Amino acid sequence: MSVDQRIIVPLDVPSASAALALVEALPQVSFWKMGLELFVSAGPALIEALRARQKRVFLDLKFHDIPNTMAGACAAAGRYGIDLMTVHTAAGKEAMAAAQAAAIAGAAAAGVDPPTVLGVTLLTSIASNVLAEELKIPLGSTNYVLQMARLAQDSGLSGAVCSPQEAGQLRRFLPADFVLVCPGVRPAWTSSQDQRRTLTPLQALQAGATYLVIGRPITAAANPAAAFERICEECSAAIAP
């Protein structure tokens, strides 16, 4: 898989028209992430529009509820023909297993390929001190993320969302085909902004990330297309065989 196919760009915009304008402005981007704000605003119709343009879709809604509710939501999402989707690992093993089975069933009912269901381990905006002081979780962030990723695997999920700083450790303990999606990736030439546990794109790939989620360094750049190409070139030059 080439570097450009491993970069997912978030559609962090408030409307379908703004999202499609961004997609048209960056034709070289093949994989787009749709989060809560845009899905609530634009709904499944935008997913159809992206698929009609031959784009891959990461539906990042982070479902977190009781098992029956998560199953219903994931069955509905599975029918969209998306590539990746997220649930919170903190919902527990029963809920994740139900989500996985429902996503597969929903896709089968719609005659589309099932999405890869990812378990969100720990939001990249949460640092170890927040985990300890506010959430009262005694594990450090690295060990907590490993625990939750293992729980996702034990629940039947095929991947997890983690910060790039945890990708290396997860790769040592999880199967090679376990998908790791890393947000909070920032090139050295841009600000980390509200992300706390970051690496550069090259460092994240070298650590074992399958996909990188890179937003504002591309979409807020003076020339988004040039920023995307610069990231691809920096990574390709170093990871080429």
Side-chain angles (χ1 to χ4, degrees), residues 1 23 34 42 52 65 68 95 100 141 167 201 231:
M1 183 165 45
V23 171
M34 186 175 183
D65 214 308
N68 187 62
Q100 173 70 25
S141 59
I231 292 170

Side-chain angles (χ1 to χ4, degrees), residues 97-129:
Q100 173 70 25
I104 293 172
V112 296
D113 292 333
T116 295
V117 182
L118 307 167
V120 176
T121 55
L122 182 67
L123 299 177
T124 53
S125 59
I126 296 179
S128 288
N129 66 307

Side-chain angles (χ1 to χ4, degrees), residues 37-131:
E37 179 184 10
L38 186 58
F39 187 79
V40 171
S41 171
L46 181 58
I47 296 175
E48 294 180 11
L50 292 170
R51 293 186 65 216
R53 289 165 170 78
Q54 307 302 311
K55 303 299 183 182
R56 301 180 71 194
V57 178
F58 173 17
L59 185 61
D60 186 24
L61 302 184
K62 300 181 180 72
F63 294 127
H64 187 177
D65 214 308
I66 62 173
N68 187 62
T69 300
M70 281 179 61
C74 289
R79 293 193 285 269
Y80 295 152
I82 55 178
D83 298 273
L84 303 174
M85 62 175 292
T86 50
V87 300
H88 266 292
T89 55
K93 189 172 181 179
E94 181 184 352
M96 284 191 283
Q100 173 70 25
I104 293 172
V112 296
D113 292 333
T116 295
V117 182
L118 307 167
V120 176
T121 55
L122 182 67
L123 299 177
T124 53
S125 59
I126 296 179
S128 288
N129 66 307
V130 175
L131 202 61

